[in-house]
Amino acid sequence: MKIGVPKEIKNQEYRVGMTPNAVREAIAHGHEVIVEAGAGHGSGFEDGDYTEAGAQMLGSAEEVFGDAEMIVKVKEPQPAERKRLREGQLLFTYLHLAPDGPQTEDLLASGATCVAYETITDARGGLPLLAPMSEVAGRLAPQMGAWTLQKANGGRGVLLAGVPGVSPADVVVIGGGVVGTNAARIAAGMGANVTVLDLSLPRLRYLDDTFGHLFCNRYASQGATAELIAQADIVIGAVLVPGAAAPKVIRREHLSTMKPGAVIVDVAIDQGGCAETSKATTHDDPIYEVDGVMHYCVANMPGAVARTSTIALGNATLPHLLALADKGWKQACADDPHLAEGLNVHAGKLTNRAVADAQERDFIEPAALF
């Protein structure tokens, strides 16, 4: 199979779909790899690294999309990229379709087969291709929250760790999954007072058993959530419903109870955000204010640490990439029901129930296709 890797064009997105090592693996499996010139520069990979690994470098995205049977990316295809997709082509990337009707419409119209990293599962019910970027975003969230909390950035002017004689910041993490756990660990390690909210008692027991008194946890009742949001200097939204739009657990009325200059870091923004007042921002212009509360809602947070993120993501995606290339999407999905969960669009049909429910569209079960 001919695998194409275009340069990412989303605002300040520096990651790349395949590392040179991934290229070597694909070529060892008998595939061709074509890479757009400069695609790896933002992650610290030069064109020569790819040619040394056996890839052919092409001068434009049009050439890559035009020649490749399979496109491997990081972020969802932007409008210009969606126009280049064609019937029968395989797209393997993050999609986050649930809150994105225009992208869904374009992918359906393209006739392409689209497999989304974020809905592939594993035998334990986890999301193995989302996990590495959730780890990165979770670990970045306290850093970004601490930066936004600085007075010059519109925040309260509170130091996360405090100093002797002055209390540290109060950080509330809503959601105790991969993002939330990593955010809580880093925020606590930076010296903040941290509380994690979750609806799963087994998950809360796990956090308590694993981390002890490093941070506190509470059951995420509406009352407890409202109480802690009102006390917080930083609220980190780490809520995830796989494949679906994020539930709005931070409501507009909560903002009026928050401290002036408090911060919301909405890591769920890729799935529409878990705050009613959240809207996607970019690394160029990451924060905005609503009712005196600062919002940090960058939709590609891991792109800020592109080299770490690219290598971590590549470690997770490579086995699935090779399965799709070695067998073709139909046989690969038939052989692996967890990979089949990643199938979101095929030949003008929606194949993911959560996306269909979020957009009130019809869909077909992936198993009906093979």
Side-chain angles (χ1 to χ4, degrees):
M1 184 177 287
K2 185 175 284 189
I3 303 168
V5 184
K7 184 177 181 179
E8 297 292 325
I9 60 173
K10 188 165 184 171
N11 179 272
Q12 291 203 10
E13 179 51 70
Y14 301 114
R15 291 172 289 180
V16 62
M18 292 180 71
T19 65
N21 280 338
V23 168
R24 285 189 183 88
E25 294 286 343
I27 290 172
H29 279 241
H31 306 295
E32 295 180 65
V33 182
I34 53 177
V35 179
E36 183 181 353
H41 288 177
S43 296
F45 300 116
E46 301 301 324
D47 290 352
D49 298 328
Y50 285 101
T51 55
E52 186 178 335
Q56 178 188 357
M57 305 305 295
L58 297 181
S60 68
E62 288 84 357
E63 292 176 273
V64 173
F65 277 86
D67 289 354
E69 300 166 88
M70 176 181 180
I71 297 291
V72 179
K73 281 178 41 61
V74 177
K75 289 305 293 177
E76 70 279 359
Q78 302 302 291
E81 295 173 311
R82 301 198 292 263
K83 292 177 182 178
R84 298 181 183 124
L85 292 169
R86 64 179 184 272
E87 184 175 352
Q89 198 166 41
L90 176 60
L91 173 66
F92 190 41
T93 189
Y94 286 117
L95 292 176
H96 299 291
L97 289 180
D100 193 344
Q103 184 194 175
T104 305
E105 197 67 43
D106 287 349
L107 295 183
L108 290 170
S110 74
T113 298
C114 307
V115 180
Y117 295 163
E118 74 275 6
T119 59
I120 292 173
T121 59
D122 62 24
R124 297 172 295 177
L127 301 169
L129 275 61
L130 190 61
M133 296 303 93
S134 295
E135 291 165 347
V136 171
R139 294 181 185 209
L140 272 176
Q143 281 184 223
M144 299 302 99
W147 177 79
T148 307
L149 201 56
Q150 295 176 30
K151 193 66 177 178
N153 298 321
R156 298 191 67 227
V158 172
L159 181 64
L160 206 64
V163 293
V166 182
S167 297
D170 291 314
V171 176
V172 174
V173 181
I174 304 179
V178 176
V179 170
T181 300
N182 280 275
R185 287 180 60 194
I186 297 304
M190 293 170 74
N193 289 324
V194 181
T195 303
V196 177
L197 288 161
D198 202 279
L199 288 170
S200 168
L201 287 175
R203 185 63 184 180
L204 294 176
R205 292 190 182 100
Y206 165 81
L207 293 174
D208 187 64
D209 289 344
T210 303
F211 298 102
H213 299 296
L214 183 63
F215 50 81
C216 301
N217 67 67
R218 293 275 297 275
Y219 182 76
S221 65
Q222 291 188 30
T225 301
E227 172 194 340
L228 288 166
I229 286 174
Q231 298 170 2
D233 296 294
I234 299 175
V235 178
I236 296 174
V239 180
L240 174 70
V241 178
K248 305 299 184 184
V249 296
I250 305 171
R251 299 190 298 275
R252 179 67 180 260
E253 56 263 32
H254 286 140
L255 272 60
S256 65
T257 72
M258 296 178 71
K259 303 169 184 176
V263 174
I264 294 172
V265 180
D266 196 343
V267 187
I269 195 64
D270 274 332
Q271 294 295 118
C274 63
E276 287 183 342
T277 47
S278 287
K279 60 182 181 181
T281 60
T282 68
H283 291 290
D284 275 341
D285 189 14
I287 58 177
Y288 62 94
E289 177 266 331
V290 179
D291 294 346
V293 175
M294 304 307 298
H295 292 58
Y296 181 99
C297 302
V298 174
N300 59 328
M301 286 177 65
V305 286
R307 188 171 181 86
T308 296
S309 297
T310 291
I311 295 170
L313 180 60
N315 292 341
T317 59
L318 183 59
H320 302 284
L321 185 161
L322 292 176
L324 290 166
D326 290 349
K327 302 177 181 180
W329 74 267
K330 186 175 289 188
Q331 190 60 53
C333 290
D335 290 348
D336 183 353
H338 300 294
L339 178 57
E341 292 288 335
L343 188 65
N344 278 217
V345 173
H346 170 67
K349 296 181 175 62
L350 195 60
T351 56
N352 182 278
R353 181 185 295 273
V355 174
D357 288 347
Q359 298 187 15
E360 298 182 343
R361 295 177 184 265
D362 294 331
F363 89 108
I364 62 171
E365 293 286 353
L369 300 173
F370 41 82

